[in-house]
Amino acid sequence: QVHLVESGGGPVQTGGSLRLSCAASGYIYYCMAWFRQNPGKEREGVATIDSSLIDTNYADSVKGRFTISKDIAKTTLYLQMNSLKPEDSGTYYCAARTSRSCGDVLTDPGKVGYWGQGTQVTVSS
C-alpha cells in the first residue's frame, strides 16, 4: 500500500512559481508522477520520475518550466513550477505506478496504482 498526500497548491499570478510536495508512505520505490485535471477535462500527465531518480519525463506544455524531483530519503516527491501560466491551473495529483519504471504512464493515467487527494493551483492573469 502507498499513501500519498499533496500540499503546496494555492493562488499565484502569471509568471510566478510554486512548489508542490507529495508526502509518500508505504512502499515508495515506485515510479512517481504528477498529473493535473480541470473540470470537464481528462486527467493529464505533467511529469514522471522513475525509482532510479534519473529518468524523468515531462509533458511538452511544461518542459523547461517544471521540474520533478524526489528527496534523498525517497519519501517526498516535489514539483517545482516556474513561469506559471493560466493554463497551468487545475487540481494537481501525486501518483504512483506499481513499477520501478514509468513506461508510458505520463500518457496513460490508467496505469497509475495510487493517487493522492489533489491540491488546487490557480494561476491568475
Side-chain angles (χ1 to χ4, degrees):
Q1 290 290 329
V2 176
H3 186 55
L4 305 171
V5 180
E6 303 95 333
S7 62
V12 63
Q13 292 189 332
T14 296
S17 298
L18 278 177
R19 188 175 80 158
L20 304 182
S21 299
C22 172
S25 59
Y27 186 78
I28 43 75
Y29 296 98
Y30 286 141
C31 157
M32 297 192 73
W34 288 98
F35 287 78
R36 65 187 180 191
Q37 188 171 25
N38 282 293
K41 295 189 176 181
E42 294 185 353
R43 193 165 295 190
E44 63 171 340
V46 175
T48 66
I49 185 167
D50 74 0
S51 62
S52 73
L53 307 186
I54 297 174
D55 289 338
T56 58
N57 196 16
Y58 296 90
D60 288 342
S61 59
V62 306
K63 281 181 181 176
R65 299 187 298 120
F66 290 13
T67 303
I68 188 171
S69 63
K70 204 174 178 186
D71 72 0
I72 295 174
K74 300 183 180 179
T75 60
T76 304
L77 180 72
Y78 300 102
L79 185 68
Q80 178 67 42
M81 306 187 294
N82 298 327
S83 303
L84 283 161
K85 306 174 182 179
E87 51 265 42
D88 293 319
S89 297
T91 301
Y92 281 71
Y93 296 92
C94 177
R97 181 183 184 185
T98 55
S99 167
R100 289 182 175 268
S101 173
C102 290
D104 60 355
V105 71
L106 187 68
T107 56
D108 190 354
K111 293 184 178 178
V112 168
Y114 298 94
W115 294 99
Q117 84 288 350
T119 185
Q120 181 68 36
V121 173
T122 303
V123 185
S124 59
S125 57

